[in-house]
Amino acid sequence: MEDVREQVRRELLINQVQQHEVAGQVNITDREVDQYLQNAGANANVQYHLGHILIAVPEAPTPQQAQAAKQKAQQLRERIESGKASFEQVAASQSDGSNALDGGDLGWRSGAELPTVFSDVVPDMSVGDVSQPIRSPSGYHLVKLLDKRGGGSADQQRDQVRRRLFERKVNDQLEAWTQEIRASAYIDNRLDEHGNTAGSSQ
């Protein structure tokens, strides 16, 4: 258990360092905010009350692990839709999300504050709907639209959009950085293997 805790501490520290380094290079312009609001249209002025279930996958899951997580998410959705259990009960007992013990309640989010992976799904949902499994790097998500209402003021919307665009850019750059590091590590390993093979053949 101590080894696991230490590994988690190291991973959290690495993530914090990476996010700090990347966040310092991200800037959101007024033009980007205006463009987002123009594209979002009416959805930027709507707030959504969401429930959330996460079936997590490892950082670099195998196809089998990813498929197993997807199947579990689908089975949980079917259980909820059939009335065998409520969304809140399933979230509390099965979700890997941080809000699991609250029944998966994410609270109210404006259209501009929706996580990127939800932004194409939630606006088209009706109150009471449960989404199909939604894939993200962390796993598969089920989202329930508990309620929706009108949004806040124009200034609040702009602040929310700016935060959302900042988060998106940080995540995109962090993912690109991670992929670059993995690719570099793979090349180094291949070179080491090649060098060891060549050395052993001499």
Side-chain angles (χ1 to χ4, degrees):
M1 182 60 70
E2 285 300 320
D3 290 342
V4 172
R5 287 175 178 166
E6 183 59 30
Q7 181 179 354
V8 170
R9 289 192 191 98
R10 287 198 300 268
E11 291 177 355
L12 289 174
L13 180 60
I14 290 171
N15 287 337
Q16 289 174 357
V17 171
Q18 290 175 332
Q19 289 177 4
H20 177 75
E21 292 294 327
V22 171
Q25 303 173 24
V26 172
N27 180 49
I28 305 299
T29 66
D30 289 338
R31 183 176 179 180
E32 289 177 294
V33 174
D34 292 337
Q35 186 65 42
Y36 182 93
L37 286 170
Q38 181 179 348
N39 293 337
N43 288 333
N45 197 37
V46 177
Q47 291 185 325
Y48 304 92
H49 187 190
L50 301 177
H52 173 242
I53 293 172
L54 168 65
I55 305 303
V57 297
E59 182 177 351
T62 65
Q64 293 80 7
Q65 289 172 324
Q67 183 61 27
K70 183 178 181 179
Q71 288 179 350
K72 181 177 180 180
Q74 289 173 331
Q75 291 169 356
L76 293 178
R77 182 179 186 274
E78 291 170 1
R79 186 178 174 193
I80 294 166
E81 292 288 276
S82 67
K84 294 180 179 178
S86 69
F87 189 94
E88 292 75 15
Q89 289 171 334
V90 172
S93 62
Q94 300 293 332
S95 177
D96 297 312
S98 59
N99 299 85
L101 296 181
D102 296 324
D105 192 341
L106 291 181
W108 287 92
R109 305 283 182 96
S110 72
E113 291 177 312
L114 290 177
T116 305
V117 292
F118 301 162
S119 60
D120 292 333
V121 177
V122 171
D124 294 329
M125 295 172 63
S126 300
V127 174
D129 285 353
V130 177
S131 72
Q132 294 289 340
I134 303 170
R135 182 72 165 96
S136 82
S138 59
Y140 284 89
H141 308 260
L142 295 175
V143 178
K144 181 176 181 179
L145 180 56
L146 302 172
D147 200 358
K148 65 180 179 181
R149 65 190 181 191
S153 68
D155 288 341
Q156 289 174 328
Q157 290 180 47
R158 292 187 67 83
D159 289 342
Q160 292 163 358
V161 167
R162 192 176 297 276
R163 287 196 299 269
R164 172 177 169 75
L165 292 177
F166 180 83
E167 178 185 348
R168 179 183 292 180
K169 273 193 174 183
V170 168
N171 288 339
D172 288 347
Q173 292 193 23
L174 188 58
E175 178 64 22
W177 188 16
T178 302
Q179 293 297 334
E180 182 180 340
I181 291 173
R182 288 176 178 169
S184 177
Y186 174 78
I187 292 173
D188 290 343
N189 288 337
R190 295 289 293 175
L191 289 174
D192 288 343
E193 292 174 0
H194 181 74
N196 290 336
T197 302
S200 62
S201 62
Q202 290 177 357

